[in-house]
Amino acid sequence: MNTALRVLTVTLAILAAIPLVALALVFSQSPEPANKDADTLNFNSVLPPEQVELPLLPYKAEDGTDLGYRYIPAKSDNAPLVILVHGSGWHGGSYQWLAHQIAGDGDIAVAVPDLRGHGPSPQRRGDVDYIGQMEDDVAALAKQLLKPGQKLILAGHSSGGGFVIRFAGGKYGGMPNGVVLLSPFLNYKAPTMRDNAGGWSQALVRRAIGLSVLNALGIHALDGLTVVTFRFPRAVLESPQGKAATTAYSWRLNVSYAPRRDYLGDVARLPPFLLVAGREDEAFRADQFEPTLSAVNPNGEYHVLDGVDHLGLINTQATADLIRAYVHRQIAR
């Protein structure tokens, strides 16, 4: 066998082995039963349910699916619209207090969607149809709510903040006039990350690596497999709110929810943004947001709130005040 033929044979063997190795990685892990008593995020600030309930309204997604959102209209059509995106495993219902505080006396309109795969009655809990579908969904909501000349501010908490970064770095990046990031997820390897997000998330790392390789080869047949689970406290899962908890994500939903692998590339495309985090955040290192993001985008404003943890951030008056001030500065630009 001549040298060229040997090289070709070895190359073909390696190429044939790659998907087999990826499949082995995918099926070498499976989700473990949830430990309801394990250390996780402090949910005390979101229990019991908020006193003011906003009705869940339907809107049409790009594929015709009815999805839900909560809405506080403004008194004027010229008022800015804030779309507030919830964090992982949860839904818009726990953001109603913050939505009301942002809306103020009616000078800001606020919409809080339940992302696809989430909320009280999703079609398929913890899953979407394809990577990027949630961006299409939120863009559809914005297009249906925005009035001519109205400015859009996209805000997100935790994984919702990561989603906002992804949205601004993708095909809809021209839509938001401003961005609010509330302790956002960036990447599992980012300097801002604590181990397993403070006990909140458990990633199936080998499975995720295998699916990433398969996706790179154009293979998406297994994208519906679970790659991350969440540790909700027993008190949450056994409460009335537990019915709306989403305890696991498929690969395609998890990828859709986060910035791209080059997360700093997405950050670099952000418009002037506000970032707020709590100094007691159990999931992320609050002091690392500014050095990490400012290295690629100088247009950020950063605030770290003393005595505030990850979920407490969305029920703190200082957070709402900072968002309102930022929104008014953006509409004055």
Side-chain angles (χ1 to χ4, degrees):
M1 183 183 296
N2 62 42
T3 301
L5 185 56
R6 282 199 299 270
V7 170
L8 177 60
T9 301
V10 171
T11 301
L12 291 174
I14 292 172
L15 291 175
I18 289 174
L20 296 177
V21 172
L23 286 170
L25 287 171
V26 168
F27 291 108
S28 70
Q29 279 187 297
S30 58
E32 297 179 0
N35 182 350
K36 299 178 183 179
D37 298 313
D39 290 337
T40 186
L41 301 180
N42 176 14
F43 272 74
N44 290 339
S45 62
V46 295
L47 291 173
E50 293 76 3
Q51 295 179 351
V52 180
E53 288 291 334
L54 294 168
L56 194 59
L57 307 172
Y59 78 94
K60 288 290 184 186
E62 190 175 75
D63 66 347
T65 299
D66 282 328
L67 299 177
Y69 74 107
R70 295 164 178 85
Y71 185 57
I72 304 174
K75 294 178 180 178
S76 167
D77 287 350
N78 294 324
L81 169 65
V82 173
I83 294 181
L84 176 60
V85 182
H86 63 78
S88 58
W90 218 213
H91 54 89
S94 285
Y95 292 74
Q96 294 179 78
W97 181 88
L98 182 58
H100 279 286
Q101 298 304 307
I102 294 171
D105 61 359
D107 57 341
I108 298 173
V110 183
V112 190
D114 283 351
L115 296 179
R116 188 182 294 255
H118 299 78
S121 55
Q123 287 186 328
R124 296 196 317 280
R125 187 172 296 283
D127 195 15
V128 295
D129 295 326
Y130 57 86
I131 294 170
Q133 188 171 30
M134 294 197 301
E135 290 169 82
D136 293 338
D137 293 341
V138 172
L141 175 62
K143 291 172 184 176
Q144 289 173 46
L145 292 179
L146 282 171
K147 300 173 178 64
Q150 188 176 21
K151 289 193 174 182
L152 171 65
I153 306 295
L154 201 56
H157 172 239
S158 194
S159 287
F163 170 82
V164 168
I165 294 171
R166 180 185 183 90
F167 190 98
K171 60 182 178 180
Y172 300 111
M175 291 187 71
N177 300 102
V179 160
V180 175
L181 305 173
L182 304 178
S183 193
F185 171 79
L186 300 178
N187 185 279
Y188 286 110
K189 295 183 178 180
T192 53
M193 194 75 192
R194 296 189 189 277
D195 291 344
N196 296 323
W200 167 241
S201 61
Q202 300 294 310
L204 281 68
V205 177
R206 295 194 303 276
R207 174 173 283 186
I209 292 171
L211 288 168
S212 178
V213 172
L214 292 176
N215 277 198
L217 296 173
I219 301 170
H220 293 273
L222 301 177
D223 285 6
L225 291 176
T226 296
V227 295
V228 64
T229 59
F230 303 111
R231 285 177 172 167
F232 281 91
R234 182 183 297 273
V236 175
L237 292 177
E238 295 179 355
S239 75
Q241 293 190 83
K243 297 177 182 178
T246 302
T247 59
Y249 283 172
S250 70
W251 164 260
R252 55 194 168 212
L253 188 149
N254 196 53
V255 172
S256 297
Y257 216 157
R260 274 158 277 270
R261 183 175 299 176
D262 177 19
Y263 66 95
L264 291 178
D266 282 348
V267 170
R269 296 189 61 187
L270 290 173
F273 64 92
L274 168 71
L275 190 147
V276 187
R279 198 171 301 279
E280 308 306 319
D281 196 308
E282 317 96 304
F284 306 124
R285 302 182 187 281
D287 61 345
Q288 292 301 306
F289 281 117
E290 183 169 1
T292 302
L293 275 63
S294 64
V296 296
N297 189 326
N299 300 315
E301 173 187 340
Y302 302 86
H303 297 269
V304 178
L305 305 181
D306 290 332
V308 177
D309 62 17
H310 189 70
L311 293 177
L313 187 66
I314 64 173
N315 287 302
T316 297
Q317 188 62 50
T319 302
D321 293 343
L322 287 167
I323 295 173
R324 281 184 54 79
Y326 167 81
V327 171
H328 284 299
R329 287 197 302 274
Q330 292 309 111
I331 64 176
R333 291 171 64 91

